[in-house]
Amino acid sequence: MLLKSNYKCLIASTSTLHQEDYLEYLLPTLIDFFKDTNKILFIPYARPGGLSHDEYTAKANSALASIGKTCIGIHTFTNPIEAVYNAKGIFTGGGNSFVLLQQLYKYNLLDALKKSIETGTAYLGTSAGSNICGLSIKTTNDMPIVYPPSFNALGILPFLINPHYLDTKPDLKHMGESRETRIKEFLTYNNEVVLGLREGSWLAMEKEKIHLRGKLSARLFYKNTIEELASGVELNQLLNELKI
Amino acid sequence: MLLKSNYKCLIASTSTLHQEDYLEYLLPTLIDFFKDTNKILFIPYARPGGLSHDEYTAKANSALASIGKTCIGIHTFTNPIEAVYNAKGIFTGGGNSFVLLQQLYKYNLLDALKKSIETGTAYLGTSAGSNICGLSIKTTNDMPIVYPPSFNALGILPFLINPHYLDTKPDLKHMGESRETRIKEFLTYNNEVVLGLREGSWLAMEKEKIHLRGKLSARLFYKNTIEELASGVELNQLLNELKI
């Protein structure tokens, strides 16, 4: 599972922590992460809460303005593929992963995004924007409100992400499945690896290394195994050692 | 939205209430519901927690044995389509709606199920087994662990179901979307009606009537409107009155 590309990605579980502003906890890290460009191509397709593309872009722009960045919505370009190739920084916001992926297929953007990211364009994803960095969106928590032509995603990461990972609450009265149960069900049908990223965690990807960042540990699921990974761990090396 | 068929369906939000046994709260109702047959064709395809088809059928059989019924798993028939047409009672258990729907497409069972139910075969669904009675599974809560060839479902009901409907908790620290937000997002992309069925509620469908049963109210979503429906309401008439 060697990565041969010039990745520079920040793949976050969530955009917003409880009682904080949008992107607030990530801003100190983003100053350095986006140091080579002040213009960020924003992909608003996931439309959280049904926000329009303009509204969502304004929200991202407002948060990133505080570190001197300007967001330009991909929907404002007549040629979005070209916009992806020309960008030095890209940010895909959260929302609904099905809607996001459907739009990326509709505009034929998956290949362009993948190539752009492989050649070193700084890519920030939060929630749905992180989900699409995995092999597929089969471990999203979102409601399947639209039917994309495939669940396959960018495959920048050699595993799948479960963003907003939630620990099982033993006192829960509701009979819906726990996140752990759902991911275990996924493993019944798919011989792949899933990383449950709690809110406040992110993956910092640089060339061949994928470090778990933030204060929290993350939860790795594969075959019949669950492992708790400490913050700071390098995932590509770990997966090689585990031979998965 | 006239129903012209001889429906006899019991479409339940969940199989199991907190601190109760499997199907326990429904058993008194099921005695009358399945009075015309002691043999129930069980569809175990949704495989909750990855249970095997045999294990899941044994679980359903064990619960229904207490009211004198025997469950036979559809997976034990060489011709499942014929099994559906020959059945006088069918029960589709809960689990993962994507897995269930994928299997129904794989074995070409949607058409057979629809025709069988239209001609009066008593149909019991719980959770995923209820989800597939709607127009599509686009308002399921399940994780999309497999990719079915379509999200379209049986369309026995002229709307979609959100089973295990959960009210918004204002004190929640987790930033994932509330059920209400998710369903509102669905309405952004789909001009359809969604019924949020809380655990303990079910729909009793008889010919042209769809009554909300159980102690709780249910939540109806359409266009920009949300209505709380009292137990006992007849939905087909209500939808006609609302002209939706």
Side-chain angles (χ1 to χ4, degrees):
Chain A
M1 247 187 265
L2 267 182
L3 302 177
K4 289 157 285 177
S5 301
N6 194 23
Y7 294 123
K8 187 183 179 187
C9 302
L10 200 161
I11 297 167
S13 173
T14 188
S15 62
T16 316
L17 294 183
H18 184 58
Q19 295 182 319
E20 284 197 9
D21 286 335
Y22 184 66
L23 294 180
E24 184 177 334
Y25 79 104
L26 284 173
L27 288 176
T29 309
L30 292 178
I31 293 171
D32 183 64
F33 183 74
F34 280 137
K35 70 177 186 300
D36 294 333
T37 181
N38 286 328
K39 278 190 185 171
I40 313 288
L41 180 70
F42 183 63
I43 302 183
Y45 292 149
R47 298 184 58 194
L51 273 187
S52 74
H53 294 152
D54 279 341
E55 287 166 339
Y56 197 15
T57 304
K59 182 180 175 176
N61 191 56
S62 166
L64 290 173
S66 67
I67 57 164
K69 309 295 170 191
T70 305
C71 285
I72 306 155
I74 194 169
H75 61 291
T76 63
F77 290 85
T78 46
N79 188 336
I81 293 177
E82 210 174 84
V84 165
Y85 281 121
N86 289 339
K88 287 188 177 168
I90 297 175
F91 171 26
T92 305
N96 186 290
S97 299
F98 296 90
V99 175
L100 170 58
L101 196 58
Q102 192 204 43
Q103 293 292 297
L104 294 179
Y105 276 108
K106 180 179 171 185
Y107 295 112
N108 204 20
L109 284 169
L110 281 158
D111 196 47
L113 267 173
K114 193 167 172 148
K115 283 183 184 147
S116 178
I117 296 168
E118 280 171 357
T119 52
T121 303
Y123 177 90
L124 166 65
T126 59
S127 190
S130 296
N131 236 159
I132 59 162
C133 293
L135 298 170
S136 78
I137 62 159
K138 286 184 182 172
T139 52
T140 176
N141 312 305
D142 297 338
M143 194 173 260
I145 58 178
V146 300
Y147 183 72
S150 164
F151 288 162
N152 292 337
L154 291 170
I156 298 294
L157 296 167
F159 48 83
L160 290 90
I161 292 275
N162 178 249
H164 308 278
Y165 183 78
L166 262 186
D167 292 292
T168 309
K169 289 179 188 150
D171 60 337
L172 206 65
K173 286 180 186 165
H174 185 260
M175 301 304 288
E177 301 86 355
S178 72
R179 199 64 62 78
E180 183 174 310
T181 301
R182 288 165 186 264
I183 297 173
K184 280 185 187 164
E185 282 184 18
F186 167 84
L187 297 179
T188 310
Y189 298 94
N190 304 274
N191 187 23
E192 291 171 329
V193 178
V194 181
L195 184 70
L197 264 187
R198 295 184 179 90
E199 294 184 345
S201 290
W202 69 90
L203 298 177
M205 211 169 165
E206 261 195 86
K207 292 184 182 156
E208 280 141 54
K209 295 196 186 300
I210 311 170
H211 283 98
L212 175 64
R213 299 294 184 205
K215 289 176 192 159
L216 304 170
S217 61
R219 215 159 166 79
L220 190 75
F221 297 78
Y222 60 99
K223 289 177 193 157
N224 297 314
T225 309
I226 303 177
E227 286 196 37
E228 199 65 35
L229 306 186
S231 179
V233 74
E234 199 283 292
L235 270 132
N236 228 17
Q237 189 187 338
L238 178 76
L239 295 182
N240 280 328
E241 281 170 11
L242 294 171
K243 291 178 184 157
I244 50 174
Chain B
M1 248 187 264
L2 268 183
L3 302 178
K4 289 157 285 178
S5 301
N6 194 25
Y7 294 122
K8 187 182 178 187
C9 302
L10 201 161
I11 297 167
S13 173
T14 188
S15 62
T16 315
L17 294 182
H18 185 57
Q19 294 182 322
E20 284 197 8
D21 285 335
Y22 185 65
L23 294 180
E24 185 178 334
Y25 79 104
L26 285 173
L27 287 176
T29 309
L30 293 177
I31 293 171
D32 182 65
F33 183 75
F34 280 137
K35 70 177 185 299
D36 294 334
T37 181
N38 286 328
K39 278 190 186 172
I40 313 289
L41 179 69
F42 182 64
I43 302 182
Y45 292 149
R47 298 185 59 194
L51 273 186
S52 75
H53 294 152
D54 279 342
E55 287 166 339
Y56 197 14
T57 304
K59 182 179 175 177
N61 191 55
S62 166
L64 290 173
S66 66
I67 58 164
K69 311 295 171 192
T70 305
C71 286
I72 305 154
I74 194 169
H75 62 290
T76 63
F77 290 86
T78 46
N79 188 336
I81 292 177
E82 211 174 81
V84 165
Y85 281 121
N86 289 338
K88 287 187 177 169
I90 297 175
F91 171 27
T92 305
N96 186 290
S97 299
F98 297 90
V99 175
L100 170 58
L101 195 58
Q102 192 203 44
Q103 293 292 297
L104 294 179
Y105 276 108
K106 179 179 171 186
Y107 294 114
N108 205 20
L109 283 169
L110 281 159
D111 197 46
L113 267 174
K114 192 166 173 149
K115 284 183 183 147
S116 178
I117 296 168
E118 279 171 355
T119 54
T121 303
Y123 177 90
L124 167 65
T126 59
S127 190
S130 295
N131 236 159
I132 58 162
C133 293
L135 298 170
S136 79
I137 61 159
K138 285 184 181 171
T139 52
T140 176
N141 313 304
D142 297 338
M143 194 172 260
I145 58 178
V146 300
Y147 183 73
S150 163
F151 287 162
N152 292 336
L154 291 170
I156 299 294
L157 295 167
F159 48 83
L160 290 91
I161 292 275
N162 177 250
H164 308 279
Y165 183 78
L166 262 186
D167 293 291
T168 310
K169 289 180 188 148
D171 61 335
L172 206 65
K173 287 180 185 165
H174 185 259
M175 301 304 287
E177 301 85 355
S178 72
R179 199 63 62 79
E180 184 175 310
T181 301
R182 288 163 185 264
I183 297 174
K184 281 186 187 164
E185 282 183 17
F186 167 83
L187 297 179
T188 308
Y189 298 95
N190 303 275
N191 187 22
E192 291 171 329
V193 178
V194 182
L195 185 69
L197 265 186
R198 295 184 178 90
E199 294 184 346
S201 291
W202 69 90
L203 298 177
M205 210 169 165
E206 261 196 87
K207 292 184 181 156
E208 280 141 55
K209 296 197 187 297
I210 311 170
H211 283 98
L212 176 63
R213 299 296 185 204
K215 289 177 192 158
L216 304 171
S217 60
R219 215 158 166 78
L220 191 75
F221 297 78
Y222 59 99
K223 290 177 191 155
N224 297 315
T225 309
I226 303 177
E227 285 196 37
E228 199 64 35
L229 306 186
S231 178
V233 74
E234 198 283 291
L235 271 132
N236 228 15
Q237 190 187 337
L238 178 77
L239 296 182
N240 281 326
E241 282 169 11
L242 294 171
K243 292 179 181 156
I244 50 174

